Amino acid sequence: MPTPTGVGTEELRRANLRAILQTVHTHGPTTRAALTKQLGLNRSTIGALTVELQSLALVSEETAAVGGRSGRPSHLVVPREDNVVVAVDVGVDRISVALVGLGGEVFERRHRPHQRGEHDVDHVVDSVAQMIGDVLGGAPGRRCLGVGVAVPGAVRAGDGLVRFAPNLGWVDAPFTDLLSKRLGKPVSTGNDANLGALAEHVRGAAVGYSDVVYLSASVGIGGGFLMGGRPLTGSSGYAGEVGHMQVDSGGPVCRCGAFGCWETKIGENVLLRRAGRLAGGGPPAVAEVIAAAQGGEVRAAEAVAEVAEWCGIGIRVIVNLFNPEVVVLGGSLAQIWRAAEDRVNDALSRSTMMSPREDVVIRAAALHDDSPLIGAAELAFAPVLDHPQAVPHAV
Ligand SMILES: [Zn+2]
């Protein structure tokens, strides 16, 4: 939060610099006048802080006419997009790498499919390092402020050790450390669903909400939670393993060893097999099943209906437990939601307690499949947004 008392000490100065930089990073170019109003600081303070952010090469100023021709020109504070981070999303089927500028725009982008059997940690580090070299090579003259990575697993807060990523076959994988050593840069790693929740909260379907659940399905199911505007992490950073809540006591055995976990009922491959398709086709195969269902294929329609039903049943548990304002659905859950919203809603409403159900909004992720990637960028920007004066000077 901004501090309303001007620049008295270094601590205050830093808090105010942070407030301005976060505002323009999140909301884009903002006039000095608007910053003065929003942050409760006086004009000369905003002016001095903006000059400091310019000297750090984090913002530039443009003159903009406000209020048409007769309006006074106003100084527009613009985030400098030549400050970039590298965002990485290590999915089960593919790796995505992007350069994201201060202000949130995605520039260079690369995707590389990777198959089962290519998930060895060293192999993934090699692939990611090559892709990062590629995107940075395509963007000379930009200042790289950090690297953020989303992985589908439990990541230890503090050192980024990937404790458990079942769909990659990783247990206690020192991925973050290895990548950081390879690149010679600091790397921050987070759980993909937590980062998806963050991204949707900052730039997507959950803007303006403070109690947010983000659920995303591919092979497994990820859950990311913001409660009261803060990430729900648990004591060690592993909260939100919603894929392994039991929804069907007579259900099939899960990779985790338990029976009837949610991901054994709604994972991407569950839908594909139920529809008589081969597992492993990813989002295009899910889209094909949904199209076939809509085209009248009975087996596909039954599969979509069944998975939609189990989606609603799982969301019901989560809504009852957390009373969110909004549930944002990503991955194949977004596809199922768009295709069978009524079916999901029926199962959700059947026995959800009335008040939490009445309050909650359910919607597909606005950033589509980019939510974890954009969240990884936000993770990489976080140290600079928190302490602008610590930004490396060389551009
Ligand atoms: Zn399980």
Side-chain angles (χ1 to χ4, degrees):
M1 287 297 290
T3 311
T5 44
V7 185
T9 66
E10 269 315 298
E11 201 55 31
L12 280 181
R13 190 172 183 85
R14 177 177 153 186
N16 292 332
L17 284 170
R18 182 194 299 155
I20 294 174
L21 190 60
Q22 283 180 342
T23 301
V24 299
H25 172 62
T26 307
H27 302 290
T30 308
T31 62
R32 275 198 197 184
L35 287 168
T36 303
K37 201 171 164 188
Q38 280 173 30
L39 305 181
L41 297 167
N42 64 46
R43 285 174 57 186
S44 61
T45 304
I46 289 285
L49 293 166
T50 307
V51 166
E52 181 165 359
L53 288 172
Q54 286 183 72
S55 75
L56 295 165
L58 290 167
V59 304
S60 58
E61 274 204 325
E62 293 170 10
T63 307
V66 175
R69 278 189 190 170
S70 58
R72 261 183 322 123
S74 174
H75 297 285
L76 195 61
V77 182
V78 180
R80 277 186 56 170
E81 293 182 333
D82 49 353
N83 293 286
V84 296
V85 296
V86 178
V88 181
D89 182 11
V90 179
V92 177
D93 303 318
R94 68 176 186 171
I95 301 171
S96 304
V97 172
L99 272 194
V100 180
L102 191 65
E105 186 159 343
V106 178
F107 301 116
E108 299 285 322
R109 191 192 263 278
R110 299 282 188 283
H111 301 291
R112 180 182 290 186
H114 68 157
Q115 310 298 329
R116 290 187 179 280
E118 295 179 350
H119 290 159
D120 173 71
V121 178
D122 291 318
H123 188 96
V124 174
V125 168
D126 281 347
S127 297
V128 169
Q130 276 173 19
M131 293 169 77
I132 290 176
D134 250 22
V135 294
L136 286 174
R142 292 196 163 122
R143 173 167 63 174
C144 179
L145 301 178
V147 177
V149 187
V151 296
V155 180
R156 186 160 73 190
D159 64 359
L161 184 78
V162 182
R163 294 301 313 277
F164 182 58
N167 292 315
L168 298 173
W170 293 2
V171 176
D172 287 337
F175 170 82
T176 308
D177 195 38
L178 290 172
L179 184 63
S180 176
K181 284 185 177 135
R182 171 71 67 87
L183 299 172
K185 292 179 193 299
V187 173
S188 306
T189 301
N191 169 267
D192 57 357
N194 289 343
L195 295 175
L198 171 68
E200 290 291 331
H201 182 241
V202 176
R203 305 187 183 279
V207 168
Y209 294 100
S210 50
D211 291 281
V212 177
V213 176
Y214 171 82
L215 302 169
S216 182
S218 58
V219 175
I221 315 297
F225 294 77
L226 286 166
M227 294 288 129
R230 291 176 177 277
L232 183 76
T233 59
S235 61
S236 316
Y238 310 143
E241 285 295 331
V242 293
H244 299 285
M245 62 183 185
Q246 190 186 47
V247 291
D248 180 10
S249 60
V253 68
C254 178
R255 287 169 303 108
C256 74
F259 288 89
C261 291
W262 197 25
E263 76 176 45
T264 68
K265 310 302 280 187
I266 66 164
E268 216 169 69
N269 290 331
V270 179
L271 174 79
L272 297 177
R273 284 197 202 94
R274 180 71 183 77
R277 271 68 169 174
L278 288 174
V286 172
E288 183 275 320
V289 169
I290 287 171
Q294 287 164 346
E297 189 193 314
V298 174
R299 197 166 177 191
E302 284 173 358
V304 170
E306 193 175 307
V307 168
E309 170 90 14
W310 284 110
C311 285
I313 288 168
I315 294 170
R316 179 175 83 200
V317 176
I318 291 164
V319 167
N320 278 339
L321 278 174
F322 294 100
N323 184 204
E325 295 168 281
V326 62
V327 176
V328 179
L329 303 176
S332 65
L333 281 177
Q335 291 172 286
I336 294 289
W337 171 253
R338 289 197 196 93
E341 179 180 330
D342 290 349
R343 191 87 186 203
V344 178
N345 261 327
D346 282 352
L348 170 63
S349 303
R350 207 170 301 136
S351 53
T352 307
M353 289 186 288
M354 193 176 291
S355 326
R357 175 67 192 97
E358 277 171 355
D359 293 343
V360 71
V361 174
I362 299 177
R363 47 175 65 153
L367 301 170
H368 305 282
D369 293 338
D370 273 351
S371 318
L373 191 71
I374 301 298
E378 295 299 327
L379 183 68
F381 274 122
V384 174
L385 295 174
D386 184 56
H387 196 353
Q389 290 154 313
V391 72
H393 273 272
V395 178

